[in-house]
Amino acid sequence: MPRPRKSRRRGEVVRIPRSEALLPEYDRGAVPEGFVTRRQLREMGLSPGRNVGPVAILRCRWCSYRPQYSCNHPTRGFLLRLDLAKPKRIPTLAQEWALDRAMAARQTCPVPTCRRRYVYALPLRKLGCCLECWDGTPADPANYTAPTGIQHRLAA
């Protein structure tokens, strides 16, 4: 039995009148003070903090030509309140140590004769070792460190 056809064409946008939109909408350049996007928060070194959800919508470039309709394009931005934002948390030394050990497990070749730690994660599920151990492809010495002892790459 054939599947029923969709009622609207692909790529067609459903128009919602702006008066029925759930959140207030602002065009680019007309956002009031105190509203910022997630990207702007990140550039300021802040996290959303107590912002539960978006407070307003930043309309996309195309919807600025249609002020009577609500913007529902994927390029729209969500605005958060700046006064509810908090400073980003700084990880403790123990958290950084745990992350370094987890990354070491992904970056170290498990072959006992190799044990090199690469600067990128190895495809261990697919190959089970580094490419040099797998098929003999020579590795660039700038991409790995030799297994000389305990090494860490902590930021602090």
Side-chain angles (χ1 to χ4, degrees):
M1 182 170 168
R3 292 176 23 195
R5 298 187 104 184
K6 293 184 178 180
S7 60
R8 60 185 173 126
R9 293 188 317 236
R10 185 176 177 196
E12 186 177 333
V13 178
V14 177
R15 301 273 182 230
I16 300 170
R18 195 166 179 180
S19 61
E20 296 176 9
L22 299 176
L23 295 173
E25 297 184 356
Y26 300 102
D27 289 325
R28 295 177 188 269
V31 178
E33 292 291 326
F35 289 163
V36 291
T37 61
R38 279 187 175 269
R39 185 170 291 183
Q40 290 170 333
L41 280 178
R42 186 174 57 233
E43 289 172 358
M44 290 185 243
L46 300 172
S47 67
R50 296 185 316 221
N51 281 305
V52 178
V55 181
I57 294 176
L58 180 64
R59 293 167 57 86
C60 66
R61 186 179 64 196
W62 298 286
C63 288
S64 63
Y65 299 113
R66 299 172 193 89
Q68 69 273 18
Y69 294 120
S70 176
C71 179
N72 59 357
H73 291 106
T75 56
R76 71 180 183 261
F78 295 104
L79 298 171
L80 304 169
R81 288 178 45 188
L82 186 58
D83 59 339
L84 297 178
K86 293 183 177 180
K88 283 187 177 180
R89 295 187 304 165
I90 298 172
T92 63
L93 194 60
Q95 289 172 331
E96 287 190 19
W97 182 254
L99 288 172
D100 183 59
R101 286 188 307 205
M103 285 306 297
R106 295 179 63 201
Q107 295 172 340
T108 305
C109 180
V111 176
T113 58
C114 182
R115 301 299 294 171
R116 295 181 190 158
R117 182 170 176 180
Y118 288 83
V119 296
Y120 52 86
L122 296 174
L124 296 178
R125 280 190 168 177
K126 190 173 186 179
L127 302 180
C129 58
C130 64
L131 279 176
E132 191 164 346
C133 295
W134 174 255
D135 63 358
T137 304
D140 184 16
N143 288 340
Y144 64 85
T145 55
T148 56
I150 298 174
Q151 295 180 0
H152 64 82
R153 298 182 183 177
L154 299 178

